[in-house]
Amino acid sequence: MKRRRFSLTRNGALFLVTAVLLTTSCVLTAQFKQRTDDSSASQAVRPSRAPRASHVSAGPGIRVRGGPLHFERIGNPARSVARDQRGAVVATFTDGARTAVLTGPSRTFAEPRTTDAKVVTRSWVRLLPKAWARSAERSGWFRSWLTSRLGSREPDVLATAFDYVSGAPARTTAAGVTYSGAARYTPGTAGASKRAGQGTSDQRTGSDFYDYLGIPWTFPDAVTRRPEKDRARSVDSSGYVRLVYGYRSKFPLNSRDSAAGGGLQRTPDALARGRLGVPVIPLTGRRPVVIQQLQPGDLVFFTTRELPGGRIGHVGIYLGLDTADHPRFISSRKNAGGPTMGDKGGTSRLDGDGYYAQGLRGARRL
């Protein structure tokens, strides 16, 4: 009996030890599995939690109503985006471009004579003193530049573009030069000879900004161009861009299509293929599939029936999405009789099957 009792006791002890070991093993296994799962989960979640930007930094003491600004880096194209404390975009600056898009008061662009479309936007397009580069927010000039323009209602590039649509009121300088007001398209090109510095007759070359102004213009290369009297208050598509971006917004201007001088060239083809700014939609000879990278103020380029061979024959300024979510632009064109965001002489949209949508070939950010 004693031996049996000892045996039972010993067996009970062995059973107890075995149970404890099994329990401990299960606990350790569970803990190890949990740590392993947590580690794997952490590694799996990390990419999705990573910010969209490659780099985020505080602005150099720049504050808005919501607090200090933070700058982040984003690609396609490479740019710096300023955000407030709530994460709302305050401004966008693209590497290699002088065009900055600031968030400001809402406004509406419309042209009821030619379209029911409206563009309601808080984007204000302004020119930086110099082309943007990474970390330029820490430059000495930047703080005063940005703080003086955030929330400003001074006319920007988009507002200036609408100074020339049908019905726009005329305004003159102190010297009596009419610098804004409804513009017309080139009244005729048959007499155009040796314009734009090409050295040959080109019947396709229309009216430039100095034709609209009606005054001679001397360019940085010392070349002087003189207006033709019958072209007063008129601009073709590239002349319109040079009037809005160059004469009015002070972007440098070239006397011809040469890339030398770093200014806006004379023709749409030269603007599209030049070195100014950043090609946000590179030229491929085909209609682009994706255009979401466009931002207001970008130049958009088109092929036309009048200029065969794949050359760019028309240029406009992108406005953004209209209230029906269609990407809309403004340009000066013959069939519309001048600058328009409307649908006379071709729908002013970059999507769909319209003439200009099918002819879209590229875009550039100045």
Side-chain angles (χ1 to χ4, degrees):
M1 289 293 295
K2 289 182 180 180
R3 182 175 299 175
R4 181 174 179 81
R5 188 181 300 115
F6 173 75
S7 176
L8 289 173
T9 303
R10 183 179 61 184
N11 289 342
L14 288 173
F15 176 79
L16 180 61
V17 170
T18 300
V20 170
L21 289 175
L22 285 173
T23 302
T24 303
S25 175
C26 290
V27 170
L28 290 175
T29 300
Q31 290 178 345
F32 176 77
K33 185 177 186 300
Q34 181 178 2
R35 285 197 299 268
T36 302
D37 289 347
D38 288 346
S39 176
S40 299
S42 176
Q43 291 176 4
V45 169
R46 202 168 291 147
S48 63
R49 291 188 302 187
R52 291 171 296 171
S54 60
H55 175 72
V56 180
S57 64
I62 302 175
R63 300 180 65 87
V64 294
R65 183 176 301 177
L69 293 182
H70 289 78
F71 287 77
E72 64 182 30
R73 294 289 296 173
I74 296 178
N76 190 34
R79 60 199 188 275
S80 299
V81 175
R83 295 182 182 272
D84 63 17
Q85 290 294 90
R86 297 173 300 173
V89 174
V90 172
T92 302
F93 310 95
T94 302
D95 292 7
R98 287 184 57 188
T99 302
V101 177
L102 311 183
T103 301
S106 179
R107 54 192 172 155
T108 300
F109 293 113
E111 196 181 329
R113 299 183 186 185
T114 60
T115 183
D116 293 331
K118 296 180 181 179
V119 175
V120 180
T121 181
R122 295 186 62 198
S123 295
W124 292 67
V125 181
R126 302 195 183 277
L127 289 185
L128 293 159
K130 60 182 74 175
W132 185 260
R134 181 171 185 163
S135 300
E137 67 271 16
R138 301 189 178 279
S139 301
W141 57 267
F142 180 71
R143 180 188 300 182
S144 60
W145 183 90
L146 182 62
T147 54
S148 67
R149 286 161 178 80
L150 279 177
S152 171
R153 290 183 177 270
E154 288 294 314
D156 69 330
V157 169
L158 302 186
T160 299
F162 279 83
D163 281 345
Y164 303 97
V165 300
S166 178
R171 288 178 288 175
T172 60
T173 67
V177 176
T178 301
Y179 66 90
S180 75
R184 56 179 179 158
Y185 193 79
T186 301
T189 57
S193 170
K194 298 184 179 181
R195 293 172 64 87
Q198 299 292 327
T200 59
S201 176
D202 185 353
Q203 295 186 0
R204 299 186 183 92
T205 302
S207 302
D208 203 356
F209 73 97
Y210 52 82
D211 288 308
Y212 176 91
L213 299 170
I215 58 174
W217 191 266
T218 300
F219 293 86
D221 60 1
V223 171
T224 298
R225 302 290 183 200
R226 300 187 179 280
E228 296 187 23
K229 292 183 179 180
D230 67 330
R231 297 185 174 198
R233 309 293 169 268
S234 66
V235 281
D236 63 8
S237 69
S238 54
Y240 175 60
V241 167
R242 282 155 65 89
L243 181 61
V244 172
Y245 261 108
Y247 176 75
R248 292 290 303 278
S249 304
K250 308 307 179 187
F251 200 98
L253 289 162
N254 265 0
S255 65
R256 51 174 65 89
D257 276 353
S258 170
L264 291 172
Q265 293 106 324
R266 176 63 188 95
T267 64
D269 194 71
L271 288 171
R273 302 181 192 280
R275 296 178 297 187
L276 291 177
V278 180
V280 292
I281 299 180
L283 297 175
T284 63
R286 300 183 300 274
R287 180 180 179 179
V289 176
V290 177
I291 62 172
Q292 280 82 359
Q293 62 269 48
L294 288 174
Q295 71 179 23
D298 287 350
L299 300 186
V300 285
F301 300 101
F302 309 86
T303 56
T304 59
R305 301 187 190 99
E306 293 80 12
L307 198 61
R311 292 178 62 191
I312 299 299
H314 192 75
V315 58
I317 300 172
Y318 180 59
L319 299 173
L321 297 178
D322 63 23
T323 51
D325 287 333
H326 296 300
R328 191 163 287 268
F329 69 98
I330 185 170
S331 68
S332 180
R333 48 189 185 262
K334 183 178 180 180
N335 292 337
T340 182
M341 66 164 277
D343 301 327
K344 182 180 178 181
T347 306
S348 297
R349 285 169 42 185
L350 302 180
D351 62 349
D353 297 322
Y355 175 70
Y356 288 103
Q358 293 188 55
L360 180 65
R361 290 295 179 270
R364 184 171 288 271
R365 189 165 300 161
L366 293 179

